[in-house]
C-alpha cells in the first residue's frame, strides 16, 4: 500500500522478527497504522518507524516494555531526561554488581586451578596460617543428614541473593568436633557461605586469624571420614590440640562437576601446640 510499510518490511528494516511486532501490537506498545480488514495484514506509516526506533533504543538502554509503554504515552523532554537519569543509576548499580560477580568468579577459578592436580589423588595434611574471614551461617535441622544440609545451604543462597549480600560463590559446612570424634563425620550443625564483612545480615560469624591443620578431601562427601581420620591422627602425632569445630569449604562440588569423584573439600581445624 502507498506510503505504508508491511510488517515484513518493518521487520527487515529494523532487524527484528515479525513475531516481536505482533507481540508489541498485542500489548498495546506499538500498533500498526492500518490493518487490512480482508486479510488482517498489518501496515505501518513512515512516522511510526521513528516511534519504533525510540522503543528499541529504550529497550537497549534497559527499560522494560511496561516502562517504555507508560513513558511513551505522553513523553516530553523533561520526562525523558528524568527517566534516563534514573536509568543511569540503575546501570551504575548493575555495573557494581557485575564487578562483584566477576571478582567472585575469579576467586572460584583460582581455587579450582590450585586444586586441579588433586583429582584422583589422596591429599596430605598441612598446616596453614589463615587470615580472618566471615561466613554467612544457617543452622542445619535434625537429624543432620545430607538432605537437611542441602536445605540449609539453599536457604543461605536464597537469603544472600534476596538481600544482595556480598557472598562468594562457594558453600561449606561446620561439623562439631564432638560429632567428628564420635565418627559422625557428615552431621553438620551449620551450612555457610563465605562473605565479605557487611551489616546487612545478622547471621554472620567471624572466623579469626590463626593456625589451622587442614586437608583436601578428594571424592564424594560420604567418604570424607577417611580424611578426618588422617587429620586427627596427624594432630595426635604432632602434639597439636584441636580447638575448634571443623570448617569444610567446598572447592569443587555440584556447582562445578557432575562427577562426585571430582569433588574437593578443604577441611580446616584451628589448632594450638600442646608443648
Amino acid at each position: 500500500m502507498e506510503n505504508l510499510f508491511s510488517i515484513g518490511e518493518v521487520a527487515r528494516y529494523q532487524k527484528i522478527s515479525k513475531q516481536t511486532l505482533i507481540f508489541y501490537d498485542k500489548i498495546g506498545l506499538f500498533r500498526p497504522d492500518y490493518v487490512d480488514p480482508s486479510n488482517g495484514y498489518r501496515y505501518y506509516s513512515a512516522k511510526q518507524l521513528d516511534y519504533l526506533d525510540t522503543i528499541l533504543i529504550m529497550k537497549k538502554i534497559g527499560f522494560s516494555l511496561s516502562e517504555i509503554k507508560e513513558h511513551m504515552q505522553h513523553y516530553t523532554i523533561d520526562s525523558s531526561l528524568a527517566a534516563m537519569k534514573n536509568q543511569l543509576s540503575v546501570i551504575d548499580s548493575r555495573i557494581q554488581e557485575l564487578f562483584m560477580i566477576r571478582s567472585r568468579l575469579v576467586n572460584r577459578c583460582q581455587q579450582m586451578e590450585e586444586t586441579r592436580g588433586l583429582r584422583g589423588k589422596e591429599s596430605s595434611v598441612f598446616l596453614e596460617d589463615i587470615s580472618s574471614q566471615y561466613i554467612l551461617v544457617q543452622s542445619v535441622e535434625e537429624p543432620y543428614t545430607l538432605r537437611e544440609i542441602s536445605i540449609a545451604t539453599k536457604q543461605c543462597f536464597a537469603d544472600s541473593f534476596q538481600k544482595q549480600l556480598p557472598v562468594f560463590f562457594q558453600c561449606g559446612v561446620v561439623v562439631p568436633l564432638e560429632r567428628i570424634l564420635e565418627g559422625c563425620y557428615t552431621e553438620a550443625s551449620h551450612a555457610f557461605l563465605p562473605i565479605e564483612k557487611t551489616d546487612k545480615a545478622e547471621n554472620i560469624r567471624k572466623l579469626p586469624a590463626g593456625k589451622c591443620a587442614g586437608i583436601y578431601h578428594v571424592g564424594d562427601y560420604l567418604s570424607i571420614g577417611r580424611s578426618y581420620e588422617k587429620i586427627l591422627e596427624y594432630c595426635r602425632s604432632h602434639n597439636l590440640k584441636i580447638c575448634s569445630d571443623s570448617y569444610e569449604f567446598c572447592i569443587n562440588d555440584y556447582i562445578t562437576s557432575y562427577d562426585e569423584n571430582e569433588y574437593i573439600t578443604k577441611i580446616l581445624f584451628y589448632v594450638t601446640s600442646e608443648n
Side-chain angles (χ1 to χ4, degrees):
M1 300 181 68
E2 189 177 355
N3 298 324
L4 291 178
F5 299 91
S6 70
I7 190 171
E9 290 174 319
V10 174
R12 186 168 63 255
Y13 296 151
Q14 298 286 3
K15 298 188 184 303
I16 59 177
S17 68
K18 290 190 290 185
Q19 288 73 22
T20 296
L21 291 170
I22 292 171
F23 178 69
Y24 287 175
D25 183 10
K26 288 182 177 179
I27 66 174
L29 176 61
F30 183 66
R31 288 179 169 153
D33 189 58
Y34 174 75
V35 178
D36 191 325
S38 64
N39 53 29
Y41 287 176
R42 295 170 171 85
Y43 294 92
Y44 301 84
S45 67
K47 184 177 181 181
Q48 282 188 292
L49 299 187
D50 294 338
Y51 191 90
L52 181 57
D53 275 341
T54 305
I55 291 173
L56 298 178
I57 289 170
M58 292 189 71
K59 188 171 181 290
K60 187 69 174 179
I61 291 172
F63 290 97
S64 68
L65 294 181
S66 60
E67 289 172 332
I68 296 172
K69 181 180 178 181
E70 181 179 356
H71 171 74
M72 296 189 69
Q73 288 177 354
H74 302 286
Y75 66 104
T76 64
I77 187 172
D78 292 332
S79 64
S80 294
L81 180 59
M84 291 185 181
K85 283 187 174 181
N86 181 72
Q87 192 63 15
L88 275 176
S89 298
V90 173
I91 291 171
D92 288 339
S93 177
R94 181 58 178 160
I95 288 173
Q96 291 179 355
E97 181 184 7
L98 287 173
F99 270 120
M100 186 184 77
I101 291 173
R102 185 184 187 282
S103 70
R104 301 304 189 254
L105 286 176
V106 168
N107 177 265
R108 191 66 189 264
C109 288
Q110 288 175 342
Q111 290 180 330
M112 294 170 66
E113 286 282 359
E114 291 169 0
T115 58
R116 285 180 69 183
L118 292 175
R119 289 181 296 180
K121 300 178 181 178
E122 288 292 325
S123 178
S124 300
V125 179
F126 56 86
L127 295 178
E128 179 180 2
D129 292 314
I130 69 167
S131 303
S132 63
Q133 58 186 307
Y134 296 87
I135 55 176
L136 177 74
V137 298
Q138 176 67 46
S139 297
V140 176
E141 300 294 334
E142 295 185 35
Y144 315 113
T145 67
L146 296 186
R147 176 181 181 274
E148 283 73 39
I149 293 173
S150 178
I151 291 172
T153 300
K154 287 168 177 54
Q155 288 175 333
C156 266
F157 275 118
D159 187 43
S160 68
F161 293 158
Q162 182 182 42
K163 297 179 180 178
Q164 296 185 325
L165 301 178
V167 298
F168 292 83
F169 299 144
Q170 182 184 30
C171 59
V173 296
V174 181
V175 185
L177 178 59
E178 59 184 23
R179 296 180 191 173
I180 293 169
L181 296 177
E182 294 171 354
C184 302
Y185 304 117
T186 62
E187 293 188 2
S189 61
H190 295 81
F192 69 78
L193 308 179
I195 188 173
E196 291 182 359
K197 184 179 181 181
T198 178
D199 57 3
K200 293 182 178 180
E202 296 181 355
N203 53 325
I204 292 179
R205 180 184 301 182
K206 180 179 180 181
L207 303 184
K211 183 177 292 295
C212 288
I215 191 171
Y216 288 100
H217 174 70
V218 181
D220 67 275
Y221 190 63
L222 290 177
S223 65
I224 202 167
R226 68 172 186 263
S227 293
Y228 273 115
E229 291 169 4
K230 289 174 68 173
I231 198 170
L232 291 175
E233 175 56 32
Y234 179 94
C235 289
R236 283 192 292 265
S237 63
H238 288 76
N239 295 317
L240 294 173
K241 179 182 178 181
I242 297 175
C243 50
S244 75
D245 295 332
S246 166
Y247 292 92
E248 298 178 6
F249 294 81
C250 298
I251 306 299
N252 195 38
D253 55 11
Y254 66 93
I255 295 176
T256 52
S257 180
Y258 179 80
D259 185 357
E260 292 187 5
N261 292 318
E262 290 191 328
Y263 286 8
I264 299 175
T265 305
K266 184 178 184 181
I267 303 171
L268 292 176
F269 284 110
Y270 284 91
V271 295
T272 58
S273 176
E274 291 190 324
N275 294 336

